[in-house]
Amino acid sequence: MTTKLSEHFTLEELTFSQTAIRKGIANTPNPQHIQNLKALCENVLERIIGVIGQRFHINSGYRGPKLNAAIGGAKASKHIDGKAADIVCPAIGTLPLFKAIVKSDMVFDQIIFEGTWVHISYDSAKNRQEILKAAFGSGPVIYTKLSKEQALALKQ
């Protein structure tokens, strides 16, 4: 059975994880997580379809604590609460996807250009409109805060 969270997104899509399957980790959200996922879908993910004019792919949505730890996610990740998704749109590319969202009037908590994907979160209690760029190296990921203008001027 498929559980719709919004017009275009399902619970199964927002909880699917190859890592969870491979490692036998249950990735089952509780009712509050499902409410958070609905808010994320309705307020951000559906709006992104309107902004870019097409469907995109969810790489990662809800991640329970065990799954989040297994993939090396941040301990305070919004994914754990069902408030974030990592997305890609191969048809337009990651940077144009990131810029289209930043340029829009969309309300979000945080958007991060991660290079090969875009992280976006929504928090019904508080949305910071925080724009970041991740830099990956040999050590921990470094996040740089950007203004809207800096984000729109980014080059690949």
Side-chain angles (χ1 to χ4, degrees):
M1 185 174 113
T2 302
T3 306
K4 285 190 89 124
L5 295 172
S6 66
E7 182 181 352
H8 294 99
F9 299 98
T10 66
L11 181 61
E12 293 73 19
E13 181 180 16
L14 272 289
T15 58
F16 179 80
S17 166
Q18 286 286 350
T19 303
I21 293 167
R22 191 172 56 255
K23 295 187 176 225
I25 300 170
N27 194 41
T28 307
N30 68 31
Q32 182 59 57
H33 298 144
I34 293 171
Q35 284 305 111
N36 293 341
L37 287 167
K38 282 183 180 179
L40 175 69
C41 290
E42 292 168 356
N43 294 291
V44 173
L45 302 182
E46 289 291 345
R47 296 263 339 263
I48 292 170
I49 291 173
V51 167
I52 65 171
Q54 61 187 297
R55 189 71 158 71
F56 53 88
H57 179 74
I58 309 279
N59 282 351
S60 180
Y62 172 77
R63 296 193 304 244
K66 282 186 182 177
L67 176 58
N68 192 62
I71 64 132
K75 287 182 176 152
S77 172
K78 294 280 189 175
H79 289 275
I80 296 169
D81 298 320
K83 296 179 179 180
D86 295 337
I87 62 174
V88 295
C89 185
I92 67 168
T94 308
L95 188 56
L97 171 63
F98 173 78
K99 287 183 177 185
I101 297 166
V102 169
K103 194 176 184 178
S104 76
D105 64 352
M106 190 179 313
V107 174
F108 53 82
D109 179 48
Q110 195 175 59
I111 186 169
I112 308 172
F113 179 65
E114 305 262 7
T116 58
W117 73 90
V118 173
H119 168 95
I120 186 121
S121 62
Y122 180 85
D123 189 329
S124 297
K126 181 183 179 190
N127 285 296
R128 299 171 285 173
Q129 294 298 116
E130 191 172 63
I131 304 168
L132 301 162
K133 180 183 185 298
F136 299 90
S138 57
V141 180
I142 297 169
Y143 295 96
T144 305
K145 211 173 207 179
L146 304 173
S147 68
K148 192 171 189 171
E149 293 74 25
Q150 290 171 316
L152 294 175
L154 276 180
K155 303 283 185 229
Q156 196 71 320

